């Protein structure tokens, strides 16, 4: 009986106390973009002039892609209805593929805009930094505030 009680007392905080990380307020859009801009600027080695030209276009692209993705998710939610017909599923599937194609076309359009003031190497470095930022952001969900992107030095 003492063993059971001891195990219960040890495990009680794990199962019944709220996770402290869950109490952190979510990052605002402005904070997210600020951290992302700082991270990408540092990791890609952008000059101040390059960053001033790049980020307005970059965030414009992100807004367009965000709108497109929200619309695509709305279409996907229609498929949750148990009365969805086969024709509706076919339309949903095609709409999802079209959304990905449109996203890719937007990426290409904006890369061409970036090429007017950035080298291909800088664009590559930006894309690499962006992927790293998102990877660290996902990791931070498991490690709390200290793991948020931008808080670590370049590796």
């Amino acid at each position: 009986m003492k063993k059971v009680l001891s195990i219960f007392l040890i495990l009680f905080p794990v199962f019944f106390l709220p996770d402290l990380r869950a109490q952190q307020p979510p990052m605002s859009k402005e904070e997210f973009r600020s951290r992302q801009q700082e991270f990408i600027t540092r990791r890609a080695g952008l000059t101040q002039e390059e960053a001033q030209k790049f980020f307005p276009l970059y965030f414009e692209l992100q807004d367009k892609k965000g709108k497109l993705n929200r619309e695509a998710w709305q279409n996907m939610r229609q498929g949750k209805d148990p009365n969805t017909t086969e024709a509706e599923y076919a339309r949903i599937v095609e709409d999802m593929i079209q959304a990905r194609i449109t996203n890719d076309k937007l990426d290409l359009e904006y890369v061409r805009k970036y090429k007017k003031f950035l080298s291909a190497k800088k664009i590559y470095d930006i894309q690499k930094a962006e992927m790293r930022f998102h990877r660290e952001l996902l990791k931070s969900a498991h490690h709390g505030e200290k793991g948020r992107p931008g808080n670590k030095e370049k590796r």
Side-chain angles (χ1 to χ4, degrees), residues 45-107:
L46 296 178
T47 66
Q48 186 175 0
E49 182 182 336
E50 289 169 333
Q52 285 176 339
K53 290 179 181 177
F54 171 73
F55 283 104
L57 287 173
Y58 178 78
F59 292 134
E60 179 181 292
L61 171 63
Q62 299 311 308
D63 290 342
K64 287 180 180 182
K65 289 170 71 172
K67 182 176 184 281
L68 192 63
N69 289 335
R70 282 188 296 280
E71 291 169 1
W73 277 109
Q74 283 178 328
N75 282 339
M76 282 295 286
R77 283 188 210 100
Q78 293 172 359
K80 289 183 176 183
D81 182 350
N83 298 320
T84 304
T85 66
E86 189 65 21
E88 290 169 325
Y89 280 121
R91 181 193 51 78
I92 291 169
V93 169
E94 286 192 24
D95 287 349
M96 291 300 295
I97 293 168
Q98 282 300 324
R100 287 194 302 259
I101 290 169
T102 302
N103 260 324
D104 289 343
K105 285 180 179 179
L106 279 170
D107 282 332

Side-chain angles (χ1 to χ4, degrees), residues 31-55:
E31 181 184 3
F32 176 85
R33 286 189 169 182
S34 175
R35 287 177 183 242
Q36 186 178 37
Q37 183 172 342
E38 186 277 325
F39 187 91
I40 291 172
T41 299
R42 183 172 36 86
R43 292 296 283 248
L46 296 178
T47 66
Q48 186 175 0
E49 182 182 336
E50 289 169 333
Q52 285 176 339
K53 290 179 181 177
F54 171 73
F55 283 104

Side-chain angles (χ1 to χ4, degrees), residues 137-149:
L137 186 67
L138 288 173
K139 283 182 187 177
S140 73
H142 300 291
H143 301 294
E145 177 67 31
K146 289 181 182 175
R148 281 191 173 175

